[in-house]
Amino acid sequence: MSDPTATAGSDRRPARPINVRDIQARKGGTPLVCLTAYTAPMAHLLDAHAEVLLVGDSLGMAVYGMDTTLDVSVDMMINHGRAVAKAAERALVVVDLPFGSYQESPEQAFRTAARVLAETGASAVKLEGGQDMAETIRFLIARGIPVMGHVGLTPQAVNQLGGFRIQGRDDAAAERIRADATAVARAGAFALVVEGVVEPLAREITRAVKIPTIGIGASADCDGQVLVSEDMLGLFGEQTPRFVKHYARLDQAIDTAVRQYAEEVRDRTFPEATHVTRPRQG
């Protein structure tokens, strides 16, 4: 059977955009490719290759230089989400709900999520939490808002977790994460990010839940993988998590290009004649 979301023709345009049902249908199939995107140019470049573009609150660190995601605002998420959704033609665009914008009550979560979807044009939201968020997830889904869950290492709970540490190492922690994943799946989330948990636990969760799992620092047996694009492209130097693989070293390419530009400006070899406009003759 042909994939109605596959790119078609030489211009690589999709037959139609990917939706949450398409993501759900990939459970146990070809792994889902997910990447973060915070800007329209990056979204345009990633769109043909990824099924999901996540406008993550990781933009706090990747774009704004913050130490954690905790200071990211709803307005930030909306501004970046709008840019990504406008540029994406194929991928499903998911926007993180930032810290403090949904934990108070299901009603608060609905107000935030409804605003995010209305003002960005994205297709779904993502929120962190397990058993404690199950009621909120049900509430949102009952009101027409698709939700991607997120368990394991949840960056918005970094202070409670004692830092960015691998989760599920002991039996009690593993059982809590299993229960979280089950609760999120039963609440109706269409997919589940499993972050920073020991590999056997991530594999077990993937086999246990009926929705696609998207791993980050988890297991190759997850139903998909996600990375921060800036990490994967080598834009943060050597200080990246262990689970990141550098598929390029764009930091070095940028440094080389900017060095050459600076030298040419200083020795007046740029701009050349082809880069300036001269008066017309006559």
Side-chain angles (χ1 to χ4, degrees):
M1 181 187 298
S2 61
D3 181 357
T5 68
T7 55
S10 59
D11 62 357
R12 308 204 316 181
R13 292 182 179 274
R16 66 167 174 79
I18 294 170
N19 59 46
V20 296
R21 289 181 179 271
D22 297 320
I23 301 301
Q24 290 174 308
R26 293 281 285 271
K27 176 67 180 179
T30 303
L32 293 158
V33 176
C34 310
L35 286 165
T36 62
Y38 314 121
T39 65
M42 184 65 81
H44 180 74
L45 291 170
L46 302 177
D47 186 53
H49 307 287
E51 282 76 48
V52 177
L53 293 182
L54 173 63
V55 187
D57 57 1
S58 51
L59 65 83
M61 295 175 282
V63 177
Y64 293 94
M66 298 174 179
D67 293 328
T68 70
T69 65
L70 300 182
D71 289 335
V72 174
S73 69
V74 174
D75 285 342
M76 286 179 184
M77 298 307 304
I78 287 174
N79 288 336
H80 290 272
R82 183 186 297 120
V84 171
K86 185 174 180 62
E89 296 182 10
R90 172 180 178 267
L92 182 83
V93 177
V94 181
V95 179
D96 265 341
L97 299 186
F99 178 72
S101 71
Y102 64 93
Q103 291 94 339
E104 181 179 332
S105 67
E107 291 78 10
Q108 183 205 29
F110 175 76
R111 287 191 298 271
T112 302
R115 182 186 169 204
V116 166
L117 295 189
E119 295 188 27
T120 64
S123 296
V125 298
K126 181 171 77 65
L127 55 79
E128 297 180 8
Q131 300 166 79
D132 57 326
M133 282 292 116
E135 179 186 355
T136 293
I137 293 170
R138 289 192 191 93
F139 190 90
L140 293 180
I141 291 168
R143 286 153 183 80
I145 296 178
V147 177
M148 177 181 285
H150 186 153
V151 301
L153 173 56
T154 48
Q156 292 178 11
V158 63
N159 291 331
Q160 180 181 354
L161 296 174
F164 295 96
R165 299 179 178 180
I166 294 295
Q167 302 295 303
R169 291 188 183 277
D170 59 71
D171 291 344
E175 181 54 37
R176 174 182 56 79
I177 296 170
R178 286 190 202 97
D180 284 342
T182 299
V184 168
R186 288 178 176 172
F190 70 89
L192 177 66
V193 172
V194 180
E195 178 172 0
V197 303
V198 292
E199 197 277 341
L201 177 59
R203 188 187 327 121
E204 180 184 342
I205 289 171
T206 297
R207 292 173 179 171
V209 300
K210 295 182 180 180
I211 60 175
T213 58
I214 300 172
I216 177 168
S219 172
D221 286 331
C222 289
D223 298 298
Q225 301 294 327
V226 63
L227 283 178
V228 172
S229 296
E230 282 75 3
D231 285 342
M232 183 265 289
L233 294 171
L235 287 171
F236 284 144
E238 298 298 332
Q239 300 302 313
T240 52
R242 174 182 176 181
F243 57 77
V244 172
K245 178 178 179 178
H246 287 142
Y247 287 84
R249 290 311 308 252
L250 297 189
D251 55 345
Q252 298 171 1
I254 291 171
D255 181 74
T256 298
V258 174
R259 181 183 296 110
Q260 181 179 350
Y261 166 71
E263 290 173 354
E264 291 184 7
V265 168
R266 290 173 182 136
D267 64 20
R268 297 188 185 276
T269 58
F270 177 84
E272 301 171 19
T274 56
H275 303 129
V276 298
T277 303
R278 298 185 181 278
R280 293 180 179 178
Q281 298 298 319

